[in-house]
PDB file of all heavy atoms in Angstrom:
ATOM      1  N   LEU N 340      -9.223  22.806   8.241  1.00  0.00           N
ATOM      2  CA  LEU N 340      -8.421  22.532   7.050  1.00  0.00           C
ATOM      3  C   LEU N 340      -8.179  23.799   6.233  1.00  0.00           C
ATOM      4  O   LEU N 340      -7.091  23.991   5.677  1.00  0.00           O
ATOM      5  CB  LEU N 340      -9.125  21.468   6.205  1.00  0.00           C
ATOM      6  CG  LEU N 340      -9.199  20.079   6.857  1.00  0.00           C
ATOM      7  CD1 LEU N 340     -10.246  19.223   6.170  1.00  0.00           C
ATOM      8  CD2 LEU N 340      -7.834  19.400   6.835  1.00  0.00           C
ATOM      9  N   VAL N 341      -9.180  24.661   6.155  1.00  0.00           N
ATOM     10  CA  VAL N 341      -9.003  25.935   5.454  1.00  0.00           C
ATOM     11  C   VAL N 341      -7.931  26.771   6.139  1.00  0.00           C
ATOM     12  O   VAL N 341      -7.104  27.414   5.470  1.00  0.00           O
ATOM     13  CB  VAL N 341     -10.341  26.704   5.395  1.00  0.00           C
ATOM     14  CG1 VAL N 341     -10.119  28.164   4.979  1.00  0.00           C
ATOM     15  CG2 VAL N 341     -11.294  26.033   4.408  1.00  0.00           C
ATOM     16  N   ALA N 342      -7.905  26.751   7.464  1.00  0.00           N
ATOM     17  CA  ALA N 342      -6.879  27.502   8.194  1.00  0.00           C
ATOM     18  C   ALA N 342      -5.484  26.964   7.876  1.00  0.00           C
ATOM     19  O   ALA N 342      -4.537  27.735   7.698  1.00  0.00           O
ATOM     20  CB  ALA N 342      -7.146  27.432   9.700  1.00  0.00           C
ATOM     21  N   LEU N 343      -5.343  25.632   7.784  1.00  0.00           N
ATOM     22  CA  LEU N 343      -4.059  25.049   7.400  1.00  0.00           C
ATOM     23  C   LEU N 343      -3.687  25.453   5.978  1.00  0.00           C
ATOM     24  O   LEU N 343      -2.525  25.781   5.690  1.00  0.00           O
ATOM     25  CB  LEU N 343      -4.112  23.526   7.510  1.00  0.00           C
ATOM     26  CG  LEU N 343      -4.245  22.924   8.909  1.00  0.00           C
ATOM     27  CD1 LEU N 343      -4.342  21.399   8.818  1.00  0.00           C
ATOM     28  CD2 LEU N 343      -3.063  23.319   9.793  1.00  0.00           C
ATOM     29  N   LEU N 344      -4.655  25.420   5.085  1.00  0.00           N
ATOM     30  CA  LEU N 344      -4.420  25.816   3.699  1.00  0.00           C
ATOM     31  C   LEU N 344      -3.968  27.271   3.623  1.00  0.00           C
ATOM     32  O   LEU N 344      -2.991  27.605   2.931  1.00  0.00           O
ATOM     33  CB  LEU N 344      -5.708  25.616   2.894  1.00  0.00           C
ATOM     34  CG  LEU N 344      -5.661  25.932   1.398  1.00  0.00           C
ATOM     35  CD1 LEU N 344      -4.768  24.943   0.662  1.00  0.00           C
ATOM     36  CD2 LEU N 344      -7.078  25.905   0.807  1.00  0.00           C
ATOM     37  N   HIS N 345      -4.647  28.133   4.362  1.00  0.00           N
ATOM     38  CA  HIS N 345      -4.326  29.565   4.366  1.00  0.00           C
ATOM     39  C   HIS N 345      -2.933  29.820   4.928  1.00  0.00           C
ATOM     40  O   HIS N 345      -2.211  30.720   4.467  1.00  0.00           O
ATOM     41  CB  HIS N 345      -5.371  30.309   5.200  1.00  0.00           C
ATOM     42  CG  HIS N 345      -5.249  31.788   5.137  1.00  0.00           C
ATOM     43  ND1 HIS N 345      -5.336  32.599   6.253  1.00  0.00           N
ATOM     44  CD2 HIS N 345      -5.037  32.629   4.094  1.00  0.00           C
ATOM     45  CE1 HIS N 345      -5.180  33.864   5.897  1.00  0.00           C
ATOM     46  NE2 HIS N 345      -5.005  33.911   4.592  1.00  0.00           N
ATOM     47  N   ALA N 346      -2.528  29.003   5.888  1.00  0.00           N
ATOM     48  CA  ALA N 346      -1.210  29.175   6.524  1.00  0.00           C
ATOM     49  C   ALA N 346      -0.089  28.534   5.709  1.00  0.00           C
ATOM     50  O   ALA N 346       1.083  28.629   6.092  1.00  0.00           O
ATOM     51  CB  ALA N 346      -1.245  28.581   7.925  1.00  0.00           C
ATOM     52  N   GLY N 347      -0.435  27.884   4.620  1.00  0.00           N
ATOM     53  CA  GLY N 347       0.581  27.198   3.825  1.00  0.00           C
ATOM     54  C   GLY N 347       1.017  25.883   4.422  1.00  0.00           C
ATOM     55  O   GLY N 347       2.047  25.321   4.021  1.00  0.00           O
ATOM     56  N   ALA N 348       0.231  25.351   5.377  1.00  0.00           N
ATOM     57  CA  ALA N 348       0.587  24.105   6.060  1.00  0.00           C
ATOM     58  C   ALA N 348      -0.109  22.888   5.450  1.00  0.00           C
ATOM     59  O   ALA N 348       0.061  21.771   5.948  1.00  0.00           O
ATOM     60  CB  ALA N 348       0.229  24.209   7.545  1.00  0.00           C
ATOM     61  N   LEU N 349      -0.897  23.088   4.410  1.00  0.00           N
ATOM     62  CA  LEU N 349      -1.592  22.000   3.725  1.00  0.00           C
ATOM     63  C   LEU N 349      -1.603  22.313   2.245  1.00  0.00           C
ATOM     64  O   LEU N 349      -1.992  23.415   1.836  1.00  0.00           O
ATOM     65  CB  LEU N 349      -3.017  21.859   4.259  1.00  0.00           C
ATOM     66  CG  LEU N 349      -3.822  20.646   3.772  1.00  0.00           C
ATOM     67  CD1 LEU N 349      -3.229  19.348   4.332  1.00  0.00           C
ATOM     68  CD2 LEU N 349      -5.292  20.768   4.179  1.00  0.00           C
ATOM     69  N   ASP N 350      -1.170  21.352   1.443  1.00  0.00           N
ATOM     70  CA  ASP N 350      -1.111  21.520  -0.011  1.00  0.00           C
ATOM     71  C   ASP N 350      -2.286  20.771  -0.634  1.00  0.00           C
ATOM     72  O   ASP N 350      -2.438  19.567  -0.404  1.00  0.00           O
ATOM     73  CB  ASP N 350       0.213  20.954  -0.538  1.00  0.00           C
ATOM     74  CG  ASP N 350       0.468  21.306  -2.000  1.00  0.00           C
ATOM     75  OD1 ASP N 350      -0.484  21.231  -2.792  1.00  0.00           O
ATOM     76  OD2 ASP N 350       1.614  21.631  -2.345  1.00  0.00           O
ATOM     77  N   PRO N 351      -3.130  21.436  -1.431  1.00  0.00           N
ATOM     78  CA  PRO N 351      -4.304  20.761  -2.006  1.00  0.00           C
ATOM     79  C   PRO N 351      -3.958  19.719  -3.058  1.00  0.00           C
ATOM     80  O   PRO N 351      -4.807  18.916  -3.436  1.00  0.00           O
ATOM     81  CB  PRO N 351      -5.119  21.904  -2.604  1.00  0.00           C
ATOM     82  CG  PRO N 351      -4.101  22.958  -2.926  1.00  0.00           C
ATOM     83  CD  PRO N 351      -3.086  22.866  -1.821  1.00  0.00           C
ATOM     84  N   GLN N 352      -2.724  19.723  -3.559  1.00  0.00           N
ATOM     85  CA  GLN N 352      -2.275  18.697  -4.495  1.00  0.00           C
ATOM     86  C   GLN N 352      -3.236  18.541  -5.679  1.00  0.00           C
ATOM     87  O   GLN N 352      -3.795  17.478  -5.932  1.00  0.00           O
ATOM     88  CB  GLN N 352      -2.090  17.369  -3.785  1.00  0.00           C
ATOM     89  CG  GLN N 352      -0.920  17.345  -2.813  1.00  0.00           C
ATOM     90  CD  GLN N 352       0.421  17.326  -3.549  1.00  0.00           C
ATOM     91  OE1 GLN N 352       0.829  16.311  -4.102  1.00  0.00           O
ATOM     92  NE2 GLN N 352       1.119  18.452  -3.551  1.00  0.00           N
ATOM     93  N   ILE N 353      -3.421  19.634  -6.400  1.00  0.00           N
ATOM     94  CA  ILE N 353      -4.291  19.621  -7.571  1.00  0.00           C
ATOM     95  C   ILE N 353      -3.507  19.085  -8.763  1.00  0.00           C
ATOM     96  O   ILE N 353      -2.558  19.704  -9.233  1.00  0.00           O
ATOM     97  CB  ILE N 353      -4.833  21.040  -7.865  1.00  0.00           C
ATOM     98  CG1 ILE N 353      -5.679  21.516  -6.676  1.00  0.00           C
ATOM     99  CG2 ILE N 353      -5.651  21.037  -9.156  1.00  0.00           C
ATOM    100  CD1 ILE N 353      -6.133  22.956  -6.774  1.00  0.00           C
ATOM    101  N   GLY N 354      -3.906  17.907  -9.227  1.00  0.00           N
ATOM    102  CA  GLY N 354      -3.206  17.263 -10.328  1.00  0.00           C
ATOM    103  C   GLY N 354      -3.832  17.503 -11.682  1.00  0.00           C
ATOM    104  O   GLY N 354      -3.230  17.195 -12.716  1.00  0.00           O
ATOM    105  N   TRP N 355      -5.056  18.013 -11.700  1.00  0.00           N
ATOM    106  CA  TRP N 355      -5.750  18.368 -12.944  1.00  0.00           C
ATOM    107  C   TRP N 355      -6.639  19.553 -12.643  1.00  0.00           C
ATOM    108  O   TRP N 355      -7.362  19.570 -11.645  1.00  0.00           O
ATOM    109  CB  TRP N 355      -6.599  17.209 -13.454  1.00  0.00           C
ATOM    110  CG  TRP N 355      -7.132  17.393 -14.863  1.00  0.00           C
ATOM    111  CD1 TRP N 355      -6.644  16.847 -16.001  1.00  0.00           C
ATOM    112  CD2 TRP N 355      -8.257  18.202 -15.261  1.00  0.00           C
ATOM    113  NE1 TRP N 355      -7.388  17.263 -17.093  1.00  0.00           N
ATOM    114  CE2 TRP N 355      -8.393  18.091 -16.663  1.00  0.00           C
ATOM    115  CE3 TRP N 355      -9.170  19.013 -14.569  1.00  0.00           C
ATOM    116  CZ2 TRP N 355      -9.379  18.756 -17.384  1.00  0.00           C
ATOM    117  CZ3 TRP N 355     -10.155  19.680 -15.282  1.00  0.00           C
ATOM    118  CH2 TRP N 355     -10.261  19.552 -16.669  1.00  0.00           C
TER     119      TRP N 355
END
Side-chain angles (χ1 to χ4, degrees):
L340 293 163
V341 166
L343 293 178
L344 182 67
H345 187 225
L349 188 68
D350 190 318
Q352 291 288 285
I353 298 173
W355 191 101

